């Protein structure tokens, strides 16, 4: 089945630790995205990648880092510099970055700082 | 700057009732795209519909229908004869088309609870 796989589903992090969230897609999509979801705030864009080996900051990139070494993979690292990392993280992809293309989402990773 | 407003935070209905979810958007572009997504308890956002700014024709898909009105900058979503399986958070989103990279801006979502 084609789709987007995020792992793990639940992740617990101690303060001061970096953690990496995995996102893999087998849809052959060029563009990939990371969103953060907080209660009552909708989804906010963290980073996006239009093509392999390229990525750009979104609206709330501080404290996060990404890489796009392979078309199908777009991992997100939440660094210790992110002051409030507890949230629900969603990865998405679309055929291209173009405005008319819809994004397809993974099932998300819920990160909790303990 | 683009903005999407979903004023209804939560809606509760009894099964078989019709329900309309409101979406109002702001944009300076003449070319843009509007989307609706459903987020069930599992967390994954499910794409429902895409509409471009030049197509104001309303659309119906089964029990779902969408009313796009540029005059009021609204893109409302109606579920007819609601069912318990419709319970979810619904997001409206906007993507401008400036010719280069554009981002998807989401509203804050409307939580729909359908009870028996």
């Amino acid at each position: 089945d084609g789709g987007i796989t995020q792992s793990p589903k639940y992740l617990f992090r101690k303060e001061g630790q970096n953690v990496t969230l995995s996102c893999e897609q087998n849809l052959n999509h060029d563009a990939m995205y990371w969103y953060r979801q907080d209660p009552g705030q909708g989804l906010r864009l963290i980073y996006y990648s239009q093509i392999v080996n390229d990525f750009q900051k979104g609206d709330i990139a501080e404290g996060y880092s990404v890489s796009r070494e392979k078309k199908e993979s777009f991992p997100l690292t939440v660094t210790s510099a992110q002051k409030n990392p507890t949230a629900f993280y969603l990865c998405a992809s679309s055929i291209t970055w173009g405005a008319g293309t819809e994004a397809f989402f993974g099932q998300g990773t819920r990160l909790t700082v303990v | 700057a683009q903005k999407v407003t979903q004023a209804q935070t939560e809606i509760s209905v009894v099964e078989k009732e019709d329900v309309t979810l409101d979406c109002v958007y702001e944009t300076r572009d003449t070319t843009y795209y509007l989307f609706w997504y459903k987020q069930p308890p599992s967390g994954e956002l499910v794409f429902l519909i895409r509409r471009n700014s030049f197509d104001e024709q309303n659309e119906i898909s089964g029990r779902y229908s969408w009313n796009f009105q540029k005059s009021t900058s609204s893109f409302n979503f109606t579920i007819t004869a609601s069912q318990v399986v419709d319970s979810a958070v619904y997001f409206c989103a906007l993507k401008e088309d400036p010719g280069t990279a554009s981002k998807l801006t989401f509203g804050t979502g409307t939580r729909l609870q359908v009870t028996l």
Side-chain angles (χ1 to χ4, degrees), chain B residues 54-74:
Chain B
F54 297 105
D55 183 4
E56 288 194 71
Q57 186 173 5
N58 292 330
E59 181 154 340
I60 298 174
S61 176
R63 296 184 297 107
Y64 295 170
S65 62
W66 291 269
N67 183 355
F68 177 30
Q69 292 196 343
K70 289 179 72 171
S71 61
T72 56
S73 296
S74 65

Side-chain angles (χ1 to χ4, degrees), chain A residues 97-112:
Chain A
W97 175 252
T101 59
E102 62 269 24
F104 296 91
F105 286 79
Q107 291 202 325
T109 293
R110 189 166 299 280
L111 173 63
T112 304

Side-chain angles (χ1 to χ4, degrees), chain A residues 4-39:
Chain A
I4 301 171
T5 302
Q6 289 187 243
S7 61
K9 190 171 183 179
Y10 299 96
L11 187 57
F12 297 89
R13 189 195 93 170
K14 292 183 179 179
E15 286 194 25
Q17 283 184 338
N18 293 355
V19 289
T20 298
L21 284 58
S22 171
C23 178
E24 304 277 332
Q25 55 100 356
N26 60 4
L27 301 168
N28 200 32
H29 285 174
D30 282 330
M32 297 188 73
Y33 319 79
W34 275 105
Y35 286 88
R36 170 177 171 144
Q37 185 178 14
D38 295 283

Side-chain angles (χ1 to χ4, degrees), chain A residues 11 13 36-39 44 64 78 82-89 109-114:
Chain A
L11 187 57
R13 189 195 93 170
R36 170 177 171 144
Q37 185 178 14
D38 295 283
R44 293 180 291 168
Y64 301 97
V78 184
Q82 170 49 236
K83 298 305 179 187
N84 185 23
T86 295
F88 188 56
Y89 291 87
T109 293
R110 189 166 299 280
L111 173 63
T112 304
V113 174
V114 297

